[in-house]
């Protein structure tokens, strides 16, 4: 186990539904991330949170809404999704040194496989 | 602009043979370079990283990678492949953003 837990593992939803993905890290890290993994495409960075503050929103549509209530939990709220949003959504965490050198190791959860019908 | 290229979508190798997964980068300056691996139904796991110093970096599970500045490459290698090494491998340079960016990866298939 990596210390990063994502629930649910699988989710099927209709385009009019509202659902949330949950991520919890037990590593004491101060940064958390959402990535989207679609087949045969580069991994897409969606959101970054440092010390609970959103520091990056990589031009993600507003139908994806992140929430970081504390350093250990990260949510991704979903509403009125499209079939092309079907993908594996990965959460990751790291301990940022504060120097922004980018050499911090990322720890990933196993992901939520989302299917939008 | 694409900052990393993994030219092969898939690499096939027989068990016991050496393996190489190729990566070239286009980050200016002195890059930080990472390799991650994704086993089936799992998230990515850190394998190794190059920051500075020795060009040959050793990582987990017997993997190593060689940083070559003149060829802007950071190929992943292992002397003797195992069936359990079959997975998706990602090379990732640090591009100056606050988080790593990854390509689409290379699928390694090791045949028994």
């Amino acid at each position: 186990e990596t210390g990063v837990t994502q629930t649910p593992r699988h989710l099927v939803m209709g385009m009019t539904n509202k659902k949330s993905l949950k991520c919890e890290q037990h590593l004491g890290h101060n940064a958390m991330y959402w990535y989207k993994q679609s087949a045969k495409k580069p991994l897409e960075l969606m959101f970054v949170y440092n010390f609970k503050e959103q520091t990056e929103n990589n031009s993600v549509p507003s139908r994806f809404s992140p929430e970081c209530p504390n350093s250990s939990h990260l949510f991704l709220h979903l509403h009125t999704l499209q079939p092309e949003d079907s993908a594996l959504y990965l959460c990751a965490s790291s301990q940022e040194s504060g120097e922004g050198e980018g050499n911090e190791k990322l720890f990933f959860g196993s992901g939520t496989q989302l299917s939008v019908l | 602009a694409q900052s990393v290229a993994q030219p092969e979508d898939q690499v096939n190798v027989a068990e016991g043979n050496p393996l190489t997964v190729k990566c070239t980068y286009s980050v200016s300056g002195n890059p930080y370079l990472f390799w991650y691996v994704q086993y089936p139904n799992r998230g990515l796991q850190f394998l190794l990283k190059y920051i500075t110093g020795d060009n040959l970096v050793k990582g987990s599970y017997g993997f190593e990678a060689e940083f070559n500045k003149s060829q802007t490459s950071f190929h992943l290698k292992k002397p003797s492949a195992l069936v359990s090494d079959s997975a998706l491998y990602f090379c990732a340079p640090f591009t100056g953003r606050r988080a790593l960016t990854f390509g689409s990866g290379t699928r390694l298939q090791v045949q028994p």
Side-chain angles (χ1 to χ4, degrees):
Chain A
E1 292 302 322
T2 63
V4 180
T5 304
Q6 288 187 245
T7 54
R9 290 297 304 272
H10 301 273
L11 178 63
V12 179
M13 60 186 289
M15 289 191 284
T16 58
N17 291 157
K18 290 184 180 180
K19 296 285 184 183
S20 295
L21 310 185
K22 180 182 176 182
C23 177
E24 183 175 2
Q25 58 97 358
H26 309 275
L27 302 167
H29 288 165
N30 57 18
M32 296 187 77
Y33 312 78
W34 280 116
Y35 284 88
K36 176 184 177 183
Q37 185 176 25
S38 304
K40 303 205 175 178
K41 288 186 179 179
L43 215 61
E44 295 176 45
L45 175 66
M46 300 176 74
F47 301 104
V48 181
Y49 278 82
N50 289 96
F51 297 99
K52 303 186 300 178
E53 299 296 321
Q54 185 175 308
T55 58
E56 186 154 351
N57 176 338
N58 198 23
S59 303
V60 179
S62 60
R63 57 185 184 270
F64 295 91
S65 174
E67 178 190 2
C68 188
N70 54 59
S71 296
S72 300
H73 293 86
L74 185 64
F75 295 89
L76 188 62
H77 303 300
L78 317 171
H79 64 98
T80 59
L81 294 193
Q82 305 298 312
E84 60 265 28
D85 296 323
S86 299
L88 181 68
Y89 288 85
L90 292 166
C91 173
S93 71
S94 69
Q95 182 61 28
E96 290 284 303
S97 65
E99 298 171 4
E101 292 185 343
N103 58 4
E104 297 85 3
K105 190 188 300 185
L106 291 174
F107 292 77
F108 283 83
S110 296
T112 295
Q113 186 66 54
L114 174 67
S115 297
V116 182
L117 304 179
Chain B
Q2 184 77 11
S3 57
V4 64
Q6 293 181 241
E8 301 150 316
D9 287 340
Q10 180 154 329
V11 171
N12 298 307
V13 64
E15 187 173 32
N17 283 1
L19 70 87
T20 299
V21 182
K22 295 179 181 177
C23 171
T24 57
Y25 63 90
S26 58
V27 179
S28 59
N30 296 317
Y32 301 150
L33 296 160
F34 298 77
W35 275 102
Y36 279 75
V37 59
Q38 185 178 27
Y39 297 104
N41 301 313
R42 290 275 190 250
L44 281 68
Q45 294 179 35
F46 171 86
L47 263 186
L48 52 82
K49 68 180 179 183
Y50 171 81
I51 304 295
T52 60
D54 194 348
N55 290 343
L56 186 64
V57 180
K58 293 190 183 295
S60 307
Y61 313 120
F63 283 91
E64 58 189 28
E66 186 165 12
F67 172 66
N68 188 317
K69 190 170 184 177
S70 63
Q71 296 184 3
T72 62
S73 67
F74 190 55
H75 300 331
L76 182 71
K77 300 182 180 185
K78 187 173 181 180
S80 178
L82 299 173
V83 173
S84 57
D85 293 329
S86 299
L88 192 56
Y89 290 81
F90 293 89
C91 178
F94 176 63
T95 60
R97 300 176 68 180
R98 293 288 293 175
L100 282 180
T101 53
F102 299 88
S104 52
T106 297
R107 186 163 299 282
L108 173 67
Q109 199 69 41
V110 181
Q111 283 108 15

